[in-house]
Amino acid sequence: MTLNATIDRVTDRIRSRSQASRDAYLKKIDKAAEDGPRRAHLSCGNQAHAFAAMTNKDDLATTRKPNIGIVSAYNDMLSAHQPYERYPDVIRRIGDRIGATVQVAGGVPAMCDGVTQGRAGMELSLFSRDVIALAAGVALSHDCFDAALYLGVCDKIVPGLVIAAATFGHVPAVFLPAGPMPSGLPNDEKSRVRQQFAAGEVGRDALMAAEMASYHSPGTCTFYGTANSNQMLMEFMGLHLPGSSFVNPNTELRDALTAAAVTRAAALTRLGNAYLPAGHILDEKAFVNGIVGLMATGGSTNLVMHIPAMARAAGIHIDIEDFHDISEAVPLMARVYPNGLADVNHFHAAGGLGYMIRHLLKAGLLHQDVKTINGTGLDGYTAEPKLRGGELDWEEGSDTSLNEKILRPVSAPFARTGGLKQLQGNLGRGVIKISAVADDRHIIEAKARVFSDQEQVKAAFRAGEFTEDTVVVVRFQGPRANGMPELHSLTPTLAVLQDRGLKVALLTDGRMSGASGKVPAAIHVSPEASAGGPLARLRDGDMIRLDATMGTVDCLAEDFETRTPAPFDGSYSAEGMGREMFAAFRAVAGPATAGAGVVV
């Protein structure tokens, strides 16, 4: 199939925009790879320190077996990462079997946004991505590893690990998923109870029961938020094995896929004949494929920031106009909560990522000619893994959706576009996700209520102050102000107002969760208010027009351009819960439109 003209044009635009930095990046990683396996150049003392604790240390000192480093985000507070506790032992056993050695190179932090929503700790969340990249860099700095296995799932963890994998781009990289927890309380029922609690219709006991029934076992949360969008991304970009993203933890198939991933990592080193450094996988086509997957699945808006940051580490420059244009060309093929009633287990059972990749390739909406850890182009990702007599094999997945309420072909999608829009106007530049927003709410013209903190919004709601159509403005939430926390805890409040018949929208220089959906939210607005951006000039009662159809966001007040911006008071978020340690990050963070990066 001929490549879609828009996909071709956007790829060429990214390639042209990135030519100088990408050429310099490839030159850097190719030079790093020239000397062969790096540990061969360590002194005897260096090697003795590196291998002292290993039972098979002689293998490392005297043989050419590949040495595989594990970078793990394991902790047992995150349900998604708890399964990783047993991975090092499993991987070592596999290494022994295939003639490789394995070491845990280092651990990286992994915080749970579900725990920190609406709390001070959420202001560290976005910057944890850069901390993860730095920590992974420290782990790999020992220069002992012929390949790296990256163990991570959730919101900032995968992007941080990809930034590190790209920075150490001469080292082959394989990403190992852990899989989603089995289905629990349906996500729409959980959301309904949250809204009832916000409206005072049920007590905390009912809310707690619903939450515990939703989040109930090891594995990733089952809604299609940032964590599961990350898993999709790794498969579309060729860093997972085909069909491995949404296999449940602690199953025979999950363990077999882990074994296969370790075997692939060993095969990709310079010691064999299939050397494939991570930096050669992470090219312009791979990132475009990832954006196509994001649009086709209706994935998390957080990746609109993470993908540019990941790409920048590989010398590639991606702009939000690239997301917008790809979204206009790619249809929405999936309905997974919050864009539908299904969870990721239902999505996987209906045909999942393999089905989507097959149909997107047929439609010319993906680059097939890419490098992947599977040793094939992207067409190898139309297959699904099966266990036959205890042996892992891949067979062609279904060409037909097994549930068209969840998964549809390109020819009969849920929506013509991916539902992500770039917004521009006199209020700045940002994005809006409309794949779950009702058509009659794509255009909202209403008076502004301006807040500097999400708790102020909740207090106004409890006081009964929202009685008419309103654009709720929450400013001073950008990366330089307070680390750009997610404002997901506002979703039940705004949803209650919407269900009462009001037209409401959120306008912010902050973020919303990947699980947010049905309330229109103009987010990531840049320049941010704390830097004197346009949101700082808004006042209560200003008429705002948010038009997701035309991609515009404007204040209609005649004197808007001449106003003096409101001053930013950062004292309320400067200290406590570790925030004082991140002052240096806030001072240098880039704009949200470029990924809000610190280390890239």
Side-chain angles (χ1 to χ4, degrees):
M1 176 63 71
T2 303
L3 188 66
N4 175 275
T6 298
I7 303 302
D8 193 24
R9 173 175 57 83
V10 173
T11 306
D12 280 345
R13 183 171 70 202
I14 294 170
R15 186 181 293 113
S16 176
R17 185 192 298 140
S18 310
Q19 183 172 350
S21 55
R22 179 64 177 174
D23 287 349
Y25 170 80
L26 290 174
K27 184 177 181 180
K28 177 187 73 172
I29 66 168
D30 290 346
K31 185 176 186 302
E34 284 176 1
D35 295 334
R38 307 300 300 173
R39 60 190 169 87
H41 302 281
L42 298 178
S43 72
C44 293
N46 293 150
Q47 292 193 51
H49 278 289
F51 311 143
M54 298 186 69
T55 57
N56 52 354
K57 67 185 73 175
D58 290 342
D59 286 348
L60 281 166
T62 62
T63 72
R64 285 176 55 81
K65 289 183 178 181
N67 188 36
I68 299 172
I70 300 171
V71 180
S72 177
Y74 162 73
N75 65 48
D76 62 7
M77 186 196 72
L78 274 74
S79 62
H81 291 82
Q82 188 276 338
Y84 286 136
E85 182 175 19
R86 53 190 288 266
Y87 272 45
D89 287 340
V90 170
I91 293 168
R92 289 188 191 99
R93 288 197 298 271
I94 298 162
D96 288 342
R97 193 170 73 216
I98 65 173
T101 53
V102 177
Q103 293 179 288
V104 175
V108 303
M111 67 181 291
C112 180
D113 289 359
V115 175
T116 57
Q117 286 291 346
R119 309 289 297 170
M122 174 50 73
E123 295 179 14
L124 309 187
S125 174
L126 178 59
F127 291 147
S128 75
R129 179 192 68 192
D130 296 74
V131 173
I132 288 160
L134 291 167
V138 171
L140 295 173
S141 69
H142 298 97
D143 214 8
C144 294
F145 307 109
D146 302 295
L149 294 172
Y150 293 92
L151 278 55
V153 174
C154 288
D155 296 31
K156 266 61 63 186
I157 294 97
V158 167
L161 292 175
V162 172
I163 290 170
T167 304
F168 287 78
H170 62 288
V171 179
V174 174
F175 280 66
L176 272 66
M181 67 176 66
S183 301
L185 184 75
N187 285 297
D188 61 319
E189 175 64 14
K190 173 194 68 181
S191 179
R192 185 183 67 83
V193 176
R194 285 179 175 177
Q195 287 182 221
Q196 287 179 320
F197 179 76
E201 297 170 3
V202 300
R204 185 168 292 276
D205 56 343
L207 178 65
M208 179 58 78
E211 299 289 354
M212 294 293 283
S214 299
Y215 309 114
H216 61 94
S217 75
T220 314
C221 306
T222 60
F223 58 82
Y224 194 54
T226 310
N228 285 316
S229 296
N230 283 339
Q231 302 310 290
M232 172 282 301
L233 188 72
M234 293 298 92
E235 197 153 330
F236 267 77
M237 291 180 64
L239 289 169
H240 277 178
L241 287 177
S244 63
S245 297
F246 299 130
V247 175
N248 298 124
N250 304 317
T251 61
E252 288 186 27
L253 181 56
R254 175 83 277 155
D255 288 349
L257 286 164
T258 299
V262 178
T263 302
R264 282 305 300 163
L268 297 177
T269 72
R270 281 190 76 98
L271 296 171
N273 298 317
Y275 175 56
L276 183 56
H280 287 190
I281 292 177
L282 294 167
D283 65 5
E284 297 90 348
K285 292 179 180 179
F287 282 105
V288 167
N289 282 350
I291 297 173
V292 169
L294 183 69
M295 301 309 161
T297 58
S300 168
T301 53
N302 278 324
L303 289 186
V304 180
M305 287 198 307
H306 294 323
I307 288 175
M310 291 185 272
R312 191 176 293 270
I316 296 167
H317 295 274
I318 291 175
D319 188 84
I320 59 173
E321 70 172 339
D322 303 321
F323 290 89
H324 175 90
D325 289 355
I326 291 173
S327 178
E328 290 293 298
V330 176
L332 180 67
M333 298 171 62
R335 284 285 190 203
V336 189
Y337 187 85
N339 299 330
L341 299 182
D343 67 23
V344 293
N345 292 309
H346 306 138
F347 166 75
H348 185 64
L353 298 179
Y355 173 92
M356 297 193 79
I357 290 171
R358 176 191 301 276
H359 284 267
L360 289 165
L361 282 170
K362 284 182 179 180
L365 291 167
L366 286 171
H367 293 283
Q368 192 285 130
D369 56 334
V370 292
K371 295 175 180 177
T372 73
I373 64 163
N374 196 43
T376 66
L378 201 63
D379 54 352
Y381 284 73
T382 64
E384 60 178 313
K386 298 286 186 180
L387 277 179
R388 303 294 187 197
E391 295 296 320
L392 179 65
D393 196 10
W394 275 265
E395 61 183 46
E396 279 302 302
S398 175
D399 192 43
T400 303
S401 171
L402 301 181
N403 188 335
E404 289 207 349
K405 293 181 180 179
I406 301 171
L407 193 57
R408 291 184 183 175
V410 171
S411 58
F414 292 101
R416 184 188 62 81
T417 71
L420 190 96
K421 291 276 191 175
Q422 177 181 218
L423 296 172
Q424 296 187 83
N426 66 6
L427 287 172
R429 193 166 177 237
V431 296
I432 185 171
K433 176 181 173 182
I434 57 172
S435 52
V437 175
D439 290 347
D440 63 352
R441 297 180 182 277
H442 289 185
I443 300 174
I444 293 183
E445 189 170 305
K447 292 179 182 178
R449 279 294 309 275
V450 182
F451 303 92
S452 299
D453 178 81
Q454 57 186 315
E455 292 305 317
Q456 295 173 356
V457 180
K458 296 175 187 177
F461 171 78
R462 290 191 296 268
E465 296 178 12
F466 296 109
T467 58
E468 60 182 344
D469 295 349
T470 306
V471 175
V472 176
V473 179
V474 187
R475 63 190 180 190
F476 302 126
Q477 304 297 306
R480 290 203 171 200
N482 62 350
M484 204 178 186
E486 288 184 348
L487 305 178
H488 180 56
S489 66
L490 292 179
T491 298
T493 299
L494 299 178
V496 167
L497 295 175
Q498 187 167 269
D499 289 349
R500 289 175 179 171
L502 299 181
K503 277 195 169 185
V504 294
L506 177 69
L507 174 63
T508 182
D509 47 8
R511 298 184 291 137
M512 286 296 279
S513 165
S516 304
K518 72 178 186 177
V519 176
I523 59 177
H524 306 179
V525 175
S526 184
E528 63 177 276
S530 67
L535 295 188
R537 296 200 297 270
L538 283 174
R539 298 171 184 166
D540 283 346
D542 282 342
M543 190 63 68
I544 292 177
R545 181 175 175 84
L546 170 60
D547 187 337
T549 303
M550 297 300 296
T552 59
V553 57
D554 293 285
C555 176
L556 305 183
E558 291 185 0
D559 66 337
F560 178 70
E561 300 289 349
T562 61
R563 293 177 183 171
T564 300
F568 168 58
D569 176 9
S571 60
Y572 72 96
S573 62
E575 295 182 344
M577 206 55 63
R579 289 177 289 183
E580 49 270 83
M581 294 191 293
F582 284 79
F585 280 54
R586 292 191 294 271
V588 300
T593 47
V598 173
V599 300
V600 290

